[in-house]
Amino acid sequence: MRRQVATLARDRVSGATALARRAALLLRSAARDDGRGLMRWQQDLRALGEGLMAAQPAMGSVLTVVDLAWRAGEEATRVREGERAVRRAMERYLRWQPGAIARVAGRLPGLLPRDAACLTLSSSEVVYRALLAARHRGRLARVMVAESRPGCEGVATARRLAARGVPVAVIVDALSPAVVAEVDVVVLGADAVTRMAVWNKCGSLGVALAASAAGRPTLVVTTEDRLLPPPLARRVVIPAAEPAAVLPRPPRGVRVVNRLFDATPLRLVTWVVTEEGAMEPATVKRRLAR
């Protein structure tokens, strides 16, 4: 199990959807009754959850999955009961996830003008599905995708959209704020949403600031499992990423700073769109403050 957690920690390409699914599968597998006493079983479940949270500390959906498993396991009075409860919780999550993404995707077209031009970045399964839904309903004319270095996940998103017939242009990250005025709306995913900010791939803050200056709306399209109440929000961390991904051999005296995520204040967001509907930032803040 440690090897799988380490592999999850090294993953710098997969989006929150895939990472949360993998975490749920690991927790479901670890919940089996193999003869441990209840206290040891609960301790091991807690330790695995802590490891998963530390592996992907910016992924709200991973934090939510771990919390679901902990809650199920901590209420058990016997290991067999705990195993069933955790398995049910994880399987319920795995069944819920695809439908939630489809429902979010279905909400985006109604928020776009006809033949909209959109700007996005990185790789979000929710955003990808939402843009396809908008295209199918005649609301999306074209997409500009920032390359999203150092992993260049945006290039992969562009390829996927183009393969489905969506006109796409890939732009270098540094140009993203400059081209916001050329589109109708910015569409971002979210790795986590707290009462103060949207945590997403680095570059999100820059395009949101540019959208605000240009009078363009910024829509955050995400599932409810990434909206974090205060106890989980306090666990969100933007870890430092590998300096070698930017500069393999820095010159003497040069320090490389590399982060994969940034935090965009909620006040820069026009709508947070989930499977339950579109919310203004003030609504999100009130909801997550509770």
Side-chain angles (χ1 to χ4, degrees):
M1 199 65 69
R2 288 181 180 176
R3 182 177 299 174
Q4 291 97 318
V5 174
T7 300
L8 193 78
R10 290 192 297 269
D11 193 327
R12 297 291 185 264
V13 177
S14 298
T17 298
L19 292 170
R21 183 173 182 83
R22 285 161 59 188
L25 291 170
L26 285 173
L27 288 159
R28 185 181 68 176
S29 176
R32 66 184 181 279
D33 181 0
D34 56 4
R36 288 168 290 177
L38 178 63
M39 184 175 295
R40 175 63 183 274
W41 179 86
Q42 289 174 327
Q43 288 173 344
D44 289 347
L45 184 67
R46 170 67 62 172
L48 174 59
E50 293 286 357
L52 292 169
M53 286 183 166
Q56 293 289 344
M59 295 293 170
S61 50
V62 172
L63 305 186
T64 295
V65 164
V66 171
D67 188 59
L68 289 171
W70 281 349
R71 289 174 182 272
E74 286 168 0
E75 294 175 359
T77 57
R78 293 180 296 116
V79 174
R80 182 57 57 86
E81 175 190 342
E83 176 188 5
R84 287 196 296 265
V86 172
R87 283 181 172 272
R88 279 196 301 267
M90 296 300 94
E91 287 165 3
R92 188 161 51 243
Y93 177 85
L94 291 168
R95 289 193 302 269
W96 165 87
Q97 192 188 57
I101 292 171
R103 291 194 297 277
V104 179
R107 293 191 179 277
L108 180 65
L111 298 171
L112 299 181
R114 186 170 297 277
D115 295 326
C118 296
L119 177 119
T120 190
L121 53 76
S122 193
S123 175
S124 163
E125 187 65 20
V126 182
V127 169
Y128 168 72
R129 298 286 186 86
L131 292 173
L132 285 185
R135 179 69 175 176
H136 293 158
R137 296 189 196 177
R139 293 285 179 176
L140 181 66
R142 61 187 177 91
V143 179
M144 302 183 88
V145 186
E147 57 184 341
S148 309
R149 288 182 180 270
C152 290
E153 301 93 339
V155 177
T157 296
R159 287 197 186 102
R160 293 181 73 192
L161 290 169
R164 298 296 296 273
V166 180
V168 184
V170 174
I171 58 175
V172 297
D173 291 329
L175 276 178
S176 300
V179 302
V180 165
E182 301 174 23
V183 301
D184 300 298
V185 60
V186 170
V187 180
L188 300 175
D191 293 310
V193 179
T194 67
R195 59 187 291 269
M196 299 302 294
V198 174
W199 306 69
N200 197 47
K201 181 64 188 279
C202 59
S204 299
L205 173 58
V207 296
L209 284 166
S212 178
R216 301 295 191 269
T218 295
L219 307 185
V220 171
V221 193
T222 189
T223 45
E224 291 268 332
D225 57 332
R226 299 171 207 183
L227 273 61
L228 302 180
L232 290 181
R234 286 192 286 271
R235 287 181 171 267
V236 176
V237 176
I238 297 181
E242 296 81 356
V246 177
L247 196 60
R249 293 183 179 85
R252 184 181 181 88
V254 173
R255 182 173 65 94
V256 176
V257 178
N258 183 19
R259 300 189 188 104
L260 299 183
F261 308 95
D262 61 25
T264 300
L266 270 176
R267 60 180 172 77
L268 295 175
V269 174
T270 310
W271 297 102
V272 175
V273 186
T274 76
E275 67 271 25
E276 301 300 328
M279 296 178 283
E280 294 180 335
T283 302
V284 176
K285 187 171 183 177
R286 285 195 301 270
R287 175 177 163 181
L288 295 181
R290 294 197 297 265

